[in-house]
Each structure stands twice: as C-alpha cells, then as structure tokens.
Amino acid sequence: MRKAKLAIGAVVALAVVAAIAAWFLLDANRYRGQIEERLRAQLHRDVTLGDMRLRLYPLRLTIGGFKIADDPKFGGSVPFTEAESLDVSVRLGQLLRGDIVIESAELISPKLELIRDDKGVWNFASMGASEPAAPSSEPAGSGSSRAFALDKVTISGASVAVTDKTRRAPRIVYTPIDVSLTGYAPGRPFDFDIAAHIPGPTPGAVQVKGAGGPIPGAGPAAMPLKAQVTLTD
C-alpha cells in the first residue's frame, strides 16, 4: 500500500512539473512578440529577443540572446546593448503561490555602447523616459502587483564602449567587466560587487563593492549608495 501511494505521489508530482513546464514554454515562445512589444513601449527602443527554451533541472528559462537598439539620433547602426544569452532560474514553490522569486540570473558577454554627443547628451537619456501612467484596468491582486525578487544576478565578460564627443576623445572599450548583485527585493537594499579592467598604457583594475537601495520612485539616479572602491596599478 505504501509503495502504491509513493508511486501515485510520484506520478502526480511529475504531472505537476510537466504542466508547469508546458505553461512556461508556451508563455515564453508563444508570447515572445508581445513581450518584445511591451519592452519597446517601456524602453522606447526596438527590442529583439532570441529563442526561449525551458530547462527542467534546475527549473530555468534560457533566452538565446537579445538586442536593444540605440537612439536613432545617435545613428542606430550599432545596438545600444546586446548579449549572447540570459539564463534565469526561479523558485518553484514561490511561483506556485503567485510570487516571482528569481534564484539566479546569469547574463553572458553583454556589450554596452555609450555615446555622448556634442551637446553633452548621452544615448541612454531617452531610454525609459517616464510618461503619465494610464489608468489600470487590472483588479487588485492581479499579476502586476505580485512580489518580484532577485536572489542573485551574475554578469560575466561584459564590455562597455564609451565615446565622448564633448572631449573629442577616441572610443574606449572597458572589458572584461564582471558584476554580481545579491538580495534585491522591493523596498530593501541589496549588495553588489563590480570588477573591471581599465585599458591604457598602464593597464589597471577597479573593484566597486558595497550596498545600494532601496530604489526610490525617482529612479536609480536617486538611490542611496555606500561602496568601497579599490584601484590596482
């Protein structure tokens, strides 16, 4: 009898996992176009997401690359940012209760292009510019109000290119840059660790480690920040 119960329990558990897997897979690929459109509306930039695949052990979603276009005023020939892949792992138990808790998110080899024009305006200034919020038609307790948290985010092998036309300086590429962020949740501070190599005649390195947040309604620019900076060579 006990073995029968265990077998039934195993079958039920497998069915639940299969159902969740199917839901994830459909939500990812079937509605990828809608997700792209929503991101375009929020960022005011063209966004392209790669193929999305579900992996069951551990439960995670892999996005085969993405691109965010640059502001057309800055030429737009090179993407503002792009990455080879994004791997996201979520907590199954929290997901079943309606909360989205990301255990880990890993971003592989992202590239970021920063440009400052002759008037001193950066190409990211227009990204996500705030607009009057439209009245929400969703009832209280809907998915838009669910909790969202990040246990850990890892960015490895990033490169940041900077072109500053106000200084008539040549384009400089900082790479590799590694970033680790832990313990993010709405209304709470989080820890971060950033390590970067500095190019030049005498190559060096910089590490910024500390805590930031919580992020206020005014945006990241007004976020409290406490950090230690370590310079090498």
Side-chain angles (χ1 to χ4, degrees):
M1 186 65 179
R2 184 182 178 184
K3 292 183 178 180
K5 289 182 179 180
L6 290 175
I8 294 173
V11 171
V12 171
L14 183 61
V16 170
V17 172
I20 294 173
W23 178 82
F24 259 105
L25 191 59
L26 288 174
D27 191 64
N29 284 310
R30 184 177 180 183
Y31 301 106
R32 184 170 63 243
Q34 295 181 19
I35 296 173
E36 290 175 338
E37 286 297 329
R38 184 170 297 180
L39 289 173
R40 291 182 187 120
Q42 292 178 346
L43 299 176
H44 309 301
R45 301 286 178 88
D46 189 27
V47 178
T48 304
L49 299 178
D51 184 54
M52 299 181 180
R53 295 184 180 182
L54 177 74
R55 302 182 186 276
L56 296 179
Y57 188 79
L59 183 62
R60 66 190 189 276
L61 190 66
T62 299
I63 303 175
F66 69 87
K67 291 183 181 180
I68 301 176
D70 201 357
D71 188 328
K73 296 179 181 178
F74 290 81
S77 59
V78 178
F80 172 73
T81 185
E82 61 180 329
E84 293 180 2
S85 66
L86 174 62
D87 194 275
V88 178
S89 175
V90 299
R91 287 186 190 173
L92 179 58
Q94 297 293 111
L95 184 66
L96 294 175
R97 290 194 290 269
D99 295 334
I100 301 175
V101 178
I102 296 179
E103 289 188 327
S104 65
E106 184 177 7
L107 190 59
I108 307 298
S109 301
K111 297 179 181 178
L112 182 64
E113 193 78 24
L114 300 181
I115 303 174
R116 192 182 189 188
D117 65 15
D118 296 330
K119 298 179 181 179
V121 179
W122 288 95
N123 60 339
F124 57 80
S126 62
M127 178 174 288
S130 59
E131 297 179 351
S136 177
S137 59
E138 296 186 11
S142 64
S144 61
S145 62
R146 290 175 178 172
F148 178 81
L150 287 165
D151 279 358
K152 184 175 183 179
V153 177
T154 303
I155 301 175
S156 57
S159 65
V160 178
V162 181
T163 302
D164 191 348
K165 296 182 179 180
T166 62
R167 301 175 58 187
R168 301 185 183 278
R171 179 176 178 268
I172 301 177
V173 178
Y174 299 90
T175 188
I177 298 176
D178 299 321
V179 180
S180 176
L181 183 150
T182 57
Y184 171 80
R188 293 176 53 188
F190 55 87
D191 298 322
F192 62 87
D193 190 343
I194 303 172
H197 293 269
I198 301 176
T202 306
V206 58
Q207 181 180 30
V208 184
K209 187 175 183 179
I215 298 178
M223 178 182 67
L225 184 67
K226 183 178 181 180
Q228 179 179 353
V229 180
T230 302
L231 298 174
T232 304
D233 296 333

